[in-house]
């Protein structure tokens, strides 16, 4: 459903991403891995519309989306998280989930001012959806906390829940395991797999640490210094000489 | 021929005003380049420079000093001294304590400072505008005596020459001196400069002092050129100079010079061919248009949003 | 260390002298066409030197003084208590609003006409500040040209009544909607600018509006302004001694009471009060609606908000337009109260005053903003002998607030939506 063809991104004289291609099919978890500074997040920023790529095509369900504004891309059904968690820290956990559902709410100002029955109904529904996802990620007890007061692992899960209430088709996770301890990482892996299995969401994942994605990814793309290095199933990647060299070279 | 002379007259007037805008704009652009804030009170620093110069000139006159170069030099030194001290103090009192907080906080503090300084001068010196003696009179005349006469006054020449000298000195200072190099380092990366042992606080103070000193020069020149000062004198000029800085690309010193000259010419052409009342409208519209279509200005560097 | 401290203190004292003596100690006086110089009074000169000495001593013993301040446990008049629960806080706010509204309703019947007039002005400022609070406090957009929308409201009423004889009640929504339209049209292109650029652009826009009003003499009367703006009527009853418009009757004759100039003042005050309450309630409602959450989300983290599909322009534009709408409201009331308007009422300083009210009150906090509007409007009237220092103190207060308490006197406590326990 997502097809990235020969994506390039240049900042002044620096070619941060050079001819990278990635594709994600329905019901699939695809990972992009690579050493630090390989240009993974830049690829993400291009796909999610924060950067306007300097070259290449991005197709979502056959529709060209490169250069479209970020919020429009998100509304198509592709929602992302961030490497450094970005929550609305002063808002409560449940409010974070309500903000994300603005499209499912009647945004008509007058209806809201008059509290029409229709408006109340929608408000109620979005609260219910928020409750469901909070239970799902195990944050229901913290629903009324300020999001900024959550522990780091909880913030990560909240960020994913916040994406899920928008009912996306493709979820893009930018280093979701960064800063998590092994137990939390395992929990996260299970959550990601269940999103695919139970909610039929495809996942595009960026990871810096290879071992984490091997278990859950259907396919893996490796990039190094902005250029594609290898792609294939986890087993293929594990045996790829270039990949081993790049990673050993880095270590 | 007549039309051409008229055009050149507007051009000369525009370049005169424009070069003083450039002098003031340096203060905005250097401060913005280093700490990324709009020093809203800069126009007031310029106004204080003009007042101090007038006080010095009047004081010398009451002592019977009549030698023009001495009067000008003393006025210039006094104005620069008071304005730079003010610039230094403003940074210490209103900006340093809020540095690094949310972007709007230093800006609101700066607006408060601007209101404070305006009223400080207002209370001390009254709100009426006070005549500024025309110390440099006369000039060249071109064109026939019947038709339109283009004039290039000695005052205008003084403004050009002084601006040119200031800009040259500043460029040399920035590129050659130790402090100048440190300034450039700090504007590249404040945190890194700090790690490398540069006293960033001192450099930031120096930036304010330099900007204020140049504004004082502009204060003396424009005071003489316009022939009067009042406490609100700095507000509009400050906005114009800020426009010039943005036009040229904020953070860029050559940009400030270019922006000042373009703005000055645009304004004088508006007054010359449309109406003097709308020249402010033109410069504000210009500001809005630049920010909309080329927020990095003519010579500025593009910014990449960090995610 | 001590020697360095001494040097620094001396330096600061000298700077204090340099920046204050020439300006305060030597006064320029016009003597016919030329200018003379006069020494200030001995008192001023002594004060200048005392200030320098004070700066010297403060800088010399800076560490000790700061230490003492640090030891004073809490300068906050309200010592930190445990967090008040949401419901209790809402109750307290509600009690506050009801009390202040009751008081405001009684006000015109217990005080003089001048005091009622002043209270009307306070209400106008409350409307303005509540409106700007949406833009600055909630959406986090610094608007320095807010007064432009106020001017649009005021001039709309003035012009409509002058050219088409439109009444207050019809002009009120038209003025507000037109101001909102101006906000929308201006906001559309500029709202994608970064915060401080936006501030300057709105300032420029405010100035453009003022210059146009000043120079479009054929329409607006230029600096002379527009006079003869009619008072509001109550169901067709006029408050003047004689009925001006045909078909209307006068208030005092209808009720068979003696004519009194106070009726009009009180009536206008009550209109302002109703409108201010309306403003308060509508904005309060917005704050709890999706649009209010979107404002806050965008202010908290713009990038995250965009990644969730919030359109930056649409969200900011809604705040900007709603803010402008209420400024237009206030402008119409202002024009009616004054009966005469000119561009002088809509200078940048006015924008700065409204901004200062929002900042002092605690950005986002409605209770704080209302209290600050009352304080800022009434204090200068109470201390008339200091009135010339008003703006000086104002500027200083803005700086001090940003340095010491940028969250304002009564920082905003968000109205949170809670997930109730189920079953």
């Amino acid at each position: 459903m997502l097809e990235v063809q020969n994506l390039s991104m240049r900042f002044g004289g620096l070619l941060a991403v050079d001819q990278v291609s990635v594709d994600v099919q329905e019901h699939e978890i695809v990972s992009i891995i690579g050493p630090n500074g390989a240009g993974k997040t830049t690829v993400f920023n291009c796909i999610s519309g924060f950067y306007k790529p300097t070259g290449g095509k991005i197709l979502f369900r056959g529709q060209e989306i490169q250069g479209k504004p970020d919020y429009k891309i998100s509304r198509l059904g592709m929602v992302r998280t961030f490497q450094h968690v970005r929550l609305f820290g002063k808002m409560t956990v449940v409010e974070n989930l309500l903000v994300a559902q603005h499209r499912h709410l009647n945004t008509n100002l007058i209806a809201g001012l008059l509290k029409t029955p229709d408006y109340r109904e929608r408000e109620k529904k979005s609260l219910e959806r928020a409750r469901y996802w909070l239970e799902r990620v195990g944050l229901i007890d913290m629903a009324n906390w300020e999001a900024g007061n959550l522990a780091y692992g909880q913030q990560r899960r909240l960020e994913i829940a916040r994406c899920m209430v928008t009912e996306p088709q493709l979820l893009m996770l930018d280093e979701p395991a960064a800063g998590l301890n092994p137990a939390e990482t395992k929990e996260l892996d299970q959550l990601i797999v269940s999103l695919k299995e139970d909610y039929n969401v495809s996942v595009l994942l960026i990871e810096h640490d290879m071992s984490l994605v091997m278990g859950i990814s259907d396919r893996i793309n490796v990039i190094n210094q902005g250029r594609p290095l290898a792609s294939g199933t986890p087993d293929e990647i594990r045996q790829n000489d270039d990949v081993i060299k790049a990673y050993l070279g880095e270590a | 021929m007549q039309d051409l002379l008229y055009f050149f007259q507007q051009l000369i007037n525009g370049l005169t005003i424009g070069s003083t805008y450039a002098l003031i704009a340096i203060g905005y652009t250097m401060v913005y380049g280093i700490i990324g804030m709009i020093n809203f009170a800069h126009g007031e620093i310029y106004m204080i420079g003009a007042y101090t110069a007038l006080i010095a000139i009047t004081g010398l006159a009451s002592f019977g000093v009549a030698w023009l170069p001495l009067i000008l030099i003393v006025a210039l030194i006094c104005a620069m001294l008071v304005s730079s001290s003010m610039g230094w103090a403003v940074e210490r009192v209103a900006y340093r304590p809020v540095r690094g907080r949310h972007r709007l906080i230093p800006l609101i503090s700066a607006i408060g400072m601007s209101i404070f300084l305006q009223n400080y001068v207002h209370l001390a010196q009254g709100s009426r505008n006070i005549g500024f003696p025309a110390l440099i009179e006369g000039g060249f005349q071109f064109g026939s005596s019947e038709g339109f006469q283009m004039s290039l006054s000695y005052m205008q020449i003084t403004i050009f020459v002084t601006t040119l000298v200031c800009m040259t000195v500043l460029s040399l200072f920035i590129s050659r001196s130790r402090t100048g190099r440190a300034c450039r380092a700090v504007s590249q990366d404040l945190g890194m400069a700090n790690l490398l042992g540069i006293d960033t606080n001192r450099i930031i103070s120096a930036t304010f002092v330099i900007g204020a000193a140049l504004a004082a020069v502009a204060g003396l020149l424009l005071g003489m050129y316009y022939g009067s000062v009042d406490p609100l004198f700095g507000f509009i000029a400050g906005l114009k100079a800020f426009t010039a800085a943005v036009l040229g690309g904020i953070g860029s010193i050559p940009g400030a010079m270019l922006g000042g000259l373009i703005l000055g010419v645009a304004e004088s052409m508006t007054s010359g061919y449309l109406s003097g009342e709308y020249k402010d409208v033109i410069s504000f519209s210009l500001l809005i248009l630049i920010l909309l279509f080329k927020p990095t200005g003519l010579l500025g560097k593009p910014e990449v949003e960090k995610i | 260390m001590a020697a360095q401290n001494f040097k620094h203190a001396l330096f600061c004292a000298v700077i204090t002298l340099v920046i204050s003596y020439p300006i305060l100690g030597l006064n320029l006086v016009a003597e016919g066409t030329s200018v003379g110089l006069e020494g200030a009074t001995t008192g001023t000169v002594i004060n200048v030197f005392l200030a320098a000495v004070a700066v010297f001593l403060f800088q010399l013993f800076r560490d000790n003084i700061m230490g003492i301040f640090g030891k004073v446990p809490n300068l906050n008049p309200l010592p930190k208590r445990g967090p008040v629960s949401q419901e209790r806080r809402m109750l307290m706010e509600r009690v506050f609003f009801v009390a202040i509204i009751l008081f405001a309703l009684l006000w015109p019947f217990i005080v003089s006409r001048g005091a009622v007039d002043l209270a009307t002005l306070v209400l106008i400022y409350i409307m303005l500040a509540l409106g700007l609070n949406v833009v600055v406090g909630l959406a986090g957009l610094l608007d320095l040209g807010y007064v432009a929308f106020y001017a649009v409201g005021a001039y709309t009423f003035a012009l409509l009544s002058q050219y088409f004889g439109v009444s207050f009640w019809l002009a009120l929504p038209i003025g507000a909607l037109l101001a909102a339209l101006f906000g929308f049209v201006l906001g559309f292109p500029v709202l994608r600018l970064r915060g401080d650029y936006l501030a300057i652009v709105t300032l420029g826009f405010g100035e453009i509006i003022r210059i146009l009003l000043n120079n479009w003499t054929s329409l607006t009367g230029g600096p002379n302004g527009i006079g003869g703006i009619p008072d509001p009527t109550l169901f067709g009853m006029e408050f003047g001694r004689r009925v001006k418009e045909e078909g209307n009757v006068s208030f005092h004759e209808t009720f068979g009471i003696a004519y009194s100039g106070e009726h009009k003042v009180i009536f206008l005050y009550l209109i302002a009060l109703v409108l201010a309450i309306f403003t308060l309630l509508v904005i309060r409602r917005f704050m709890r609606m999706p649009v209010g959450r979107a404002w806050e989300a965008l202010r908290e983290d713009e990038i995250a908000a965009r990644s969730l599909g919030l359109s930056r322009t649409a969200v900011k534009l809604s705040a900007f337009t709603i803010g402008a709408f209420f400024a237009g409201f206030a402008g119409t009331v202002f024009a009616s109260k004054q009966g005469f308007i000119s561009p002088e009422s809509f200078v940048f300083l006015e924008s700065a005053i409204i901004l200062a009210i929002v900042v002092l009150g605690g950005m986002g906090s409605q209770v704080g903003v209302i209290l600050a509007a009352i304080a800022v409007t009434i204090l200068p009237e109470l201390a008339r002998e200091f009135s010339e220092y008003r703006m000086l103190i104002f500027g200083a207060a803005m700086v001090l607030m940003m340095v010491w308490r940028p969250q304002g006197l009564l920082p905003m406590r968000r109205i949170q939506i809670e997930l109730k326990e189920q079953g």
Side-chain angles (χ1 to χ4, degrees):
Chain A
M1 62 163 109
L2 178 74
E3 218 173 314
V4 179
Q5 299 168 352
N6 304 325
L7 183 77
S8 298
M9 182 72 207
R10 182 184 283 281
F11 297 108
L14 175 80
L15 195 57
V17 174
D18 187 9
Q19 304 277 325
V20 169
S21 299
V22 177
D23 72 290
V24 184
Q25 304 301 322
E26 303 266 353
H27 205 69
E28 196 177 37
I29 298 179
V30 176
S31 298
I32 302 178
I33 62 172
N36 274 331
K40 298 170 305 229
T41 298
T42 308
V43 171
F44 246 42
N45 286 343
C46 289
I47 299 175
S48 55
F50 283 94
Y51 291 164
K52 217 172 173 163
T54 35
K57 271 188 187 173
I58 304 171
L59 297 149
F60 185 65
R61 299 195 174 285
Q63 186 188 356
E64 281 191 32
I65 58 163
Q66 71 273 17
K68 270 199 179 208
D70 36 51
Y71 68 95
K72 281 196 180 153
I73 289 179
S74 151
R75 288 179 188 186
L76 289 175
M78 298 164 64
V79 188
R80 66 172 292 183
T81 65
F82 296 88
Q83 194 171 347
H84 307 285
V85 184
R86 284 181 175 272
L87 293 172
F88 308 115
K90 291 215 180 79
M91 303 175 88
T92 62
V93 169
V94 69
E95 281 171 325
N96 266 273
L97 300 188
L98 292 181
V99 168
Q101 296 180 67
H102 60 100
R103 274 171 299 143
H104 306 290
L105 283 169
N106 190 345
T107 43
N108 186 329
L109 294 179
I110 307 295
L113 278 180
L114 300 177
K115 281 197 190 180
T116 57
D118 182 50
Y119 169 83
R120 283 162 188 265
E121 188 57 31
R122 284 161 190 267
E123 275 275 283
K124 212 176 124 207
K125 269 195 187 143
S126 58
L127 265 177
E128 284 316 305
R129 191 177 291 119
R131 181 195 301 280
Y132 175 82
W133 277 103
L134 287 179
E135 270 163 7
R136 186 67 192 74
V137 300
L139 289 174
I140 192 73
D141 294 336
M142 290 89 177
N144 298 329
W145 287 27
E146 280 188 11
N149 294 342
L150 293 181
Y152 195 72
Q154 296 172 327
Q155 296 199 1
R156 285 258 178 230
R157 274 180 282 149
L158 176 58
E159 208 186 16
I160 293 175
R162 193 177 64 181
C163 290
M164 288 310 296
V165 292
T166 69
E167 300 182 332
Q169 297 161 24
L170 177 66
L171 183 64
M172 308 204 291
L173 304 175
D174 192 347
E175 301 206 9
L180 299 189
N181 63 35
E184 286 173 325
T185 306
K186 208 169 158 215
E187 243 176 31
L188 184 80
D189 278 1
Q190 285 164 359
L191 177 64
I192 294 173
V193 171
S194 115
L195 294 181
K196 178 184 99 166
E197 297 299 332
D198 305 336
Y199 302 95
N200 199 22
V201 174
S202 300
V203 180
L204 180 61
L205 190 71
I206 288 185
E207 253 313 333
H208 151 72
D209 187 343
M210 245 168 72
S211 60
L212 290 167
V213 293
M214 286 300 172
I216 59 169
S217 304
D218 296 308
R219 281 183 304 114
I220 294 176
N221 291 275
V222 189
I223 56 174
N224 190 19
Q225 293 177 350
R227 273 186 291 274
L229 192 67
S231 64
T233 62
D235 283 334
E236 287 165 7
I237 294 297
R238 214 172 272 137
Q239 285 150 21
N240 187 304
D241 291 339
D242 290 339
V243 177
I244 295 167
K245 213 188 291 166
Y247 267 79
L248 286 180
E250 200 216 10
Chain B
M1 193 58 201
Q2 293 286 319
D3 294 345
L4 201 64
L5 279 181
Y6 186 74
F7 175 79
F8 275 115
Q9 180 72 70
Q10 304 311 324
L11 193 65
I12 289 172
N13 294 349
L15 291 174
T16 310
I17 297 290
S19 50
T20 59
Y21 286 163
L23 278 178
I24 311 173
I26 294 287
Y28 283 107
T29 224
M30 283 179 70
V31 167
Y32 197 94
I34 288 190
I35 50 176
M37 75 165 278
I38 299 173
N39 179 7
F40 208 83
H42 192 59
E44 274 59 48
I45 303 270
Y46 149 81
M47 176 267 293
I48 285 171
Y51 264 92
T52 316
L54 181 55
I55 289 171
I57 291 168
T58 320
L60 287 173
S62 68
F63 286 120
V65 179
W67 193 47
L68 189 62
L70 181 67
I71 296 179
L72 289 180
I73 287 176
V74 171
L76 193 64
I77 291 175
C78 289
M80 286 170 82
L81 184 68
V82 173
S83 280
S84 353
S85 307
M86 194 56 109
W88 182 85
V90 164
E91 194 269 334
R92 280 307 280 261
V93 172
Y95 304 155
R96 189 172 296 182
V98 297
R99 199 191 296 155
R101 296 202 195 154
H102 185 275
R103 227 187 181 111
L104 296 185
I105 288 178
L107 187 57
I108 294 173
S109 181
I111 293 170
M113 205 25 133
S114 156
I115 295 175
F116 178 84
L117 291 179
Q118 240 173 51
N119 286 277
Y120 168 66
V121 175
H122 173 136
L123 287 171
Q125 301 288 352
S127 59
R128 291 181 42 219
N129 62 348
I130 301 173
F132 210 111
L135 294 173
I136 304 174
E137 287 174 305
F140 302 106
Q141 303 283 333
F142 304 91
S144 64
S145 53
E146 295 100 62
F148 180 78
Q149 277 196 319
M150 187 185 91
S151 68
L152 172 62
S153 66
Y154 295 137
M155 186 64 229
Q156 289 176 318
I157 295 172
T158 313
I159 291 180
F160 289 135
V161 173
T162 318
T163 308
L164 210 64
V165 170
C166 286
M167 293 298 188
T168 315
V169 171
L170 179 72
S171 307
L172 287 177
F173 175 79
I174 296 283
S175 60
R176 301 281 162 82
S177 76
R178 248 182 105 76
T179 314
R181 275 201 305 271
C183 274
R184 279 182 294 155
V186 174
S187 75
Q188 288 279 322
D189 189 334
L190 195 139
M192 191 48 118
N194 219 343
L195 285 179
L196 291 174
I198 296 174
D199 183 349
T200 46
N201 277 336
R202 212 176 59 86
I203 297 301
I204 292 170
S205 287
T207 312
F208 276 84
V209 168
I210 294 168
L214 291 176
V217 176
L220 169 66
L221 293 174
L222 270 187
M224 285 195 286
Y225 189 62
Y226 285 139
S228 75
V229 288
D230 65 77
L232 292 173
F233 176 74
F235 180 68
I236 290 285
L239 272 181
K240 299 285 181 57
F242 177 76
T243 307
V246 173
L247 177 59
I250 199 149
S252 148
I253 291 175
M257 300 187 211
L258 183 66
L261 293 179
I262 293 178
L263 186 68
V265 171
E267 271 188 11
S268 76
M269 292 295 166
T270 317
S271 339
Y273 290 98
L274 290 169
S275 146
E277 286 147 358
Y278 289 109
K279 73 178 202 297
D280 292 350
V281 174
I282 289 296
S283 39
F284 291 135
S285 312
L286 205 59
L287 172 67
I288 295 177
L289 290 176
I290 305 154
L291 284 178
L292 289 181
F293 295 108
K294 198 160 184 344
T296 51
L298 297 171
L299 303 179
K301 291 170 291 184
E303 274 182 40
V304 176
E305 197 171 20
K306 288 190 186 108
I307 294 170
Chain C
M1 192 64 209
Q4 210 181 0
N5 244 0
F6 182 80
K7 246 173 76 186
H8 177 71
L10 199 62
F11 181 70
C12 290
V14 170
I15 292 279
T16 313
L17 277 185
V18 169
I19 60 179
S20 53
Y21 184 73
I23 302 289
L24 290 171
L26 302 166
N27 297 341
L28 291 160
V29 278
E31 292 164 349
T33 50
S34 67
V35 183
L37 208 55
E38 222 171 52
T41 56
T42 333
T44 312
V45 177
I46 291 175
N47 282 339
V48 166
F49 279 91
L50 282 181
V53 171
V55 167
F56 176 74
L57 291 176
F58 175 75
Q59 292 295 339
L60 195 59
F61 299 110
R62 191 191 171 99
D63 298 337
N64 310 29
I65 294 171
M66 283 326 212
I68 293 168
F69 267 113
K71 274 183 200 132
V72 175
N74 211 337
L75 290 170
N76 198 336
L78 292 169
K80 270 212 183 325
R81 293 192 218 113
V84 185
S85 82
Q86 166 105 351
E87 269 143 53
R88 215 177 128 179
R89 217 175 68 222
M90 294 288 288
L91 187 75
M92 275 159 60
E93 277 196 30
R94 235 168 248 162
V95 169
F96 170 82
F97 286 134
V98 170
I100 203 164
I101 288 168
L102 282 179
F103 180 73
L105 277 173
L106 289 174
W107 180 255
F109 305 102
I110 50 177
V111 292
S112 68
R113 181 183 169 153
V116 177
D117 219 33
L118 179 65
T120 312
L121 194 67
V122 171
L123 289 168
I124 290 173
Y125 274 105
I126 287 180
M127 275 188 255
L128 286 169
L130 285 174
L132 186 63
N133 193 28
V134 171
V135 183
V136 180
L138 299 176
L141 307 166
L142 189 51
D143 181 356
L144 295 180
Y146 192 60
V147 80
F149 306 123
Y150 184 41
V152 168
Y155 268 89
T156 303
F157 179 31
L159 291 172
L160 283 179
S161 78
Q162 193 178 36
Y163 290 104
F164 304 103
V166 169
S167 76
F168 173 82
W169 293 109
L170 188 57
L172 185 67
I174 297 179
L177 287 173
L178 206 63
L181 182 71
F182 264 73
F184 185 83
V185 171
L186 170 75
F188 200 72
V190 306
L191 284 173
R192 62 192 148 103
L193 292 175
R194 239 182 21 215
D196 40 7
Y197 279 1
L198 176 74
I200 297 292
V201 165
T202 49
L203 196 164
F205 175 72
E207 285 295 299
I208 289 177
I209 293 272
R210 192 183 58 82
I211 296 167
L212 287 180
L213 291 175
N214 227 336
N215 290 310
W216 197 348
T217 319
S218 58
L219 182 74
T220 65
N224 296 331
I226 302 175
I229 302 168
D231 303 319
T233 53
L234 177 66
F235 301 117
M237 290 182 280
E238 284 189 15
F239 284 84
R241 190 181 288 275
R242 276 176 204 86
V243 175
K244 284 186 194 140
E245 210 162 317
E246 230 164 287
N248 284 351
V249 286
S250 72
F251 176 77
H252 61 106
E253 279 168 3
T254 313
F255 288 92
I257 45 176
Y259 166 76
S260 159
E262 272 189 27
H263 292 159
K264 183 188 101 183
V265 178
I266 292 177
F267 179 56
L268 202 69
Y269 168 82
L270 291 175
I271 290 178
L273 182 62
V274 169
L275 291 176
I277 294 171
F278 173 76
T279 308
L280 174 78
L281 293 179
V282 168
I283 292 175
R284 228 175 146 64
R285 186 82 204 103
F286 278 139
M287 284 163 75
R288 309 188 62 177
M289 276 165 53
V291 67
R293 290 197 291 267
W295 294 336
E296 287 189 61
L298 210 67
R299 189 193 62 201
E300 287 273 307
D301 193 330
E302 185 177 311
I303 286 170
R306 275 156 56 191
S307 82
L308 294 168
L310 285 169
S311 154
R312 168 170 56 173
T313 315
V315 174
K316 288 183 177 178
L317 203 53
S318 64
F320 212 65
T321 309
I322 288 169
F325 179 88
F326 289 109
F329 240 52
T332 316
V333 179
F334 177 74
S336 186
K337 171 183 173 293
Q338 302 294 95
F340 162 82
I341 51 164
S342 73
E344 237 173 88
S345 307
F346 307 104
V347 291
F348 166 70
L349 205 59
E350 204 68 22
S351 287
I353 291 177
I354 306 165
L355 177 68
I357 292 175
V358 173
V359 169
L360 293 177
M363 288 186 233
S365 149
Q366 287 193 311
V367 178
V369 163
I370 290 174
L371 291 177
I374 296 172
V376 165
T377 329
I378 290 187
L379 282 182
E381 297 291 327
L382 292 181
R384 272 192 186 279
E385 58 270 40
F386 296 114
S387 65
E388 53 177 347
Y389 296 102
R390 177 178 172 215
M391 292 317 295
L392 188 81
I393 295 170
F394 225 84
M398 274 170 90
V399 175
L400 292 180
M401 283 302 282
M402 288 301 107
V403 172
W404 279 327
R405 214 176 150 75
Q407 71 275 44
L409 291 174
L410 267 181
M412 173 164 87
R413 291 277 200 63
R414 300 192 46 261
I415 307 171
Q416 294 166 338
I417 294 193
E418 295 198 337
L419 199 62
K420 303 270 175 340
E421 294 283 325
Q422 207 167 26

